[in-house]
Amino acid sequence: MTVMEQRGAYRPTPPPAWQPRTDPAPLLPDALPYRVLGTETAAKADPELLRLLYAQLVRGRRYNAQATALTKQGRLAVYPSSTGQEACQVAAALVLQERDWLFPSYRDTLAAVARGVDPVEALTLLRGDRHTGYDPYTHRVAPLCTPLATQLPHAVGLAHAARLKGDDVVALAMVGDGGTSEGDFHEALNFAAVWQAPVVFLVQNNGFAISVPLAKQTAAPSLAHKAVGYGMPGRLVDGNDAAAVHEVLTDAVRHARAGGGPTLVEAVTYRIDAHTNADDATRYRGEAEIEAWRDHDPILLLERELTERGLLDEEGVRAAREDAEALAADLRTRMNQDPALDPMDLFAHVYAQPTPQLLEQQAQLRAELDAETAGPEGAGR
């Protein structure tokens, strides 16, 4: 008998008083992703909500296309597109109340815009001008996070602190499938469950962590199944079904606000565009795979549902597209204007009380800038 066989044969008997802390059955996700569009459940969906979701999806698709074009024009250093994932982005923003907080990842600029962040300010970090580009407190949107999953513990901390203060606040943290392999993911979910923090984790499973497919990241039945290991419910939803994502996230936010603790939601979607404009996705996936997902496009799914129910006509489609074009035109115009940057801003907001070293560096830069302004004549005086 091998060592592994010996270990497998060993089954310790638990003490008589031992009982599971939590019944795992209610925490387990469904076997298949939850859907609304194209099912009998769709008839119960609020028509106004569906129209709003559709308009936001169309705006989001155009926003992604325009931001991608800006990288080719040199107006953005990099852009991680969320084309194909708009349903997750829009739903995440719309389910939150004004007092709640959104914690996005680097790919979630669209969610920030749908939450109310200025479209140009949402791109400022990717433009390389200055950190964040917007005031997080104005819209309750945390800074766009480039490192994987580091925003998740921040979301838990804020949600836990809000509850200790008696504030009725929920935090919704977004992360990709690659981020679930990070230690911050484990730490955040563990703390959230132990503290029963009012936080919702939305995993956008778009199939790849850059070029690494999900099968090489985890052997779990689904990412939603990871929830049971922490003692929180896991939900599995079709991430391209905007109505389903909105419903599942609404339930999770309501559950958290009522004191029920955290929920892990896995939205199964697909990244149509490359990881970023610097990535060559043809090296690790074929066009046939992409085309198969285009048939399950979030805009087409919702447009088909609205049309069949008589809730959307050609005029409605045209109005949504015209609104999206207006957004893109404004974005182009404003992004084509060079920002007025003050080098002395490097020293602002670093410390509440500047250190002697910082003051010394500030004075040195000021002297260099003054000398440059004075020119050769001023330099010789």
Side-chain angles (χ1 to χ4, degrees), residues 343-351 358 362:
M344 299 308 294
D345 284 346
L346 287 169
F347 305 97
H349 313 298
V350 179
Y351 294 103
L358 195 67
Q362 185 180 30

Side-chain angles (χ1 to χ4, degrees), residues 10-81:
Y10 176 63
R11 293 290 184 271
T13 303
W18 184 87
Q19 292 291 334
R21 292 193 184 96
T22 305
D23 180 7
L27 306 180
L28 291 171
D30 295 333
L32 296 175
Y34 177 69
R35 296 187 62 189
V36 169
L37 301 178
T39 72
E40 295 180 358
T41 308
K44 304 176 183 178
D46 179 8
E48 290 304 314
L49 172 62
L50 295 181
R51 290 193 188 97
L52 175 61
L53 288 169
Y54 176 75
Q56 290 291 331
L57 290 182
V58 174
R59 280 172 60 90
R61 178 65 54 85
R62 189 66 185 89
Y63 178 81
N64 272 314
Q66 186 59 65
T68 299
L70 288 169
T71 63
K72 299 176 182 179
Q73 299 164 8
R75 288 298 179 179
L76 283 179
V78 66
Y79 185 68
S81 173

Side-chain angles (χ1 to χ4, degrees), residues 5-354:
E5 289 172 337
Q6 292 174 354
R7 291 176 178 174
Y10 176 63
R11 293 290 184 271
T13 303
W18 184 87
Q19 292 291 334
R21 292 193 184 96
T22 305
D23 180 7
L27 306 180
L28 291 171
D30 295 333
L32 296 175
Y34 177 69
R35 296 187 62 189
V36 169
L37 301 178
T39 72
E40 295 180 358
T41 308
K44 304 176 183 178
D46 179 8
E48 290 304 314
L49 172 62
L50 295 181
R51 290 193 188 97
L52 175 61
L53 288 169
Y54 176 75
Q56 290 291 331
L57 290 182
V58 174
R59 280 172 60 90
R61 178 65 54 85
R62 189 66 185 89
Y63 178 81
N64 272 314
Q66 186 59 65
T68 299
L70 288 169
T71 63
K72 299 176 182 179
Q73 299 164 8
R75 288 298 179 179
L76 283 179
V78 66
Y79 185 68
S81 173
S82 59
T83 296
Q85 302 177 218
E86 292 93 348
C88 299
Q89 302 274 312
V90 169
L94 295 185
V95 299
L96 297 176
Q97 298 185 14
E98 185 177 350
R99 62 186 180 277
D100 296 330
W101 275 81
L102 179 71
F103 283 78
S105 72
Y106 60 88
R107 196 177 298 281
D108 301 323
T109 49
L110 175 54
V113 171
R115 177 77 168 147
V117 173
D118 183 279
V120 171
E121 292 183 352
L123 295 174
T124 300
L125 174 65
L126 303 173
R127 193 179 194 176
D129 289 349
R130 57 192 173 94
H131 187 59
T132 301
Y134 56 88
D135 182 358
Y137 292 96
T138 300
H139 302 287
R140 300 295 182 99
V141 177
L144 288 166
C145 183
T146 302
L148 292 185
T150 54
Q151 75 276 19
L152 304 187
H154 300 164
V156 177
L158 182 140
H160 181 57
R163 189 179 64 170
L164 292 177
K165 291 174 62 179
D167 295 339
D168 187 20
V169 169
V170 173
L172 193 155
M174 305 175 72
V175 69
D177 50 288
T180 65
S181 299
E182 296 290 328
D184 296 88
F185 175 83
H186 159 74
E187 293 156 5
L189 268 68
N190 194 53
F191 275 124
V194 170
W195 289 340
Q196 287 293 281
V199 59
V200 176
F201 300 98
L202 172 59
V203 178
Q204 297 174 86
N205 177 7
N206 64 18
F208 292 93
I210 306 183
S211 60
V212 180
L214 184 67
K216 293 186 177 181
Q217 298 179 58
T218 179
S222 74
L223 295 174
H225 276 80
K226 292 179 178 287
V228 68
Y230 298 99
M232 69 177 70
R235 297 293 305 275
L236 186 62
V237 62
D238 183 340
N240 287 16
D241 184 333
V245 178
H246 189 277
E247 181 181 327
V248 169
L249 290 179
T250 297
D251 289 344
V253 169
R254 185 185 300 117
H255 178 77
R257 202 183 307 279
T263 300
L264 173 64
V265 177
E266 177 189 354
V268 181
T269 182
Y270 193 78
R271 192 190 74 212
I272 294 295
D273 289 343
H275 173 66
T276 69
N277 54 292
D279 172 42
D280 180 8
T282 62
R283 299 180 63 182
Y284 54 85
R285 66 181 187 183
E287 187 62 28
E289 178 180 315
I290 300 173
E291 286 304 315
W293 276 94
R294 289 189 192 278
D295 293 338
H296 196 63
D297 182 274
I299 296 179
L300 293 179
L301 292 178
L302 189 50
E303 189 173 290
R304 185 182 303 130
E305 183 71 37
L306 288 168
T307 302
E308 291 177 354
R309 291 177 58 182
L311 301 174
L312 182 69
D313 55 17
E314 291 184 4
E315 178 60 30
V317 172
R318 182 167 53 253
R321 291 177 180 173
E322 288 177 354
D323 178 65
E325 285 301 326
L327 169 71
D330 179 69
L331 185 61
R332 281 196 306 273
T333 299
R334 296 167 61 200
M335 288 294 290
N336 282 329
Q337 299 171 358
D338 291 328
L341 303 177
D342 183 358
M344 299 308 294
D345 284 346
L346 287 169
F347 305 97
H349 313 298
V350 179
Y351 294 103
Q353 294 295 328

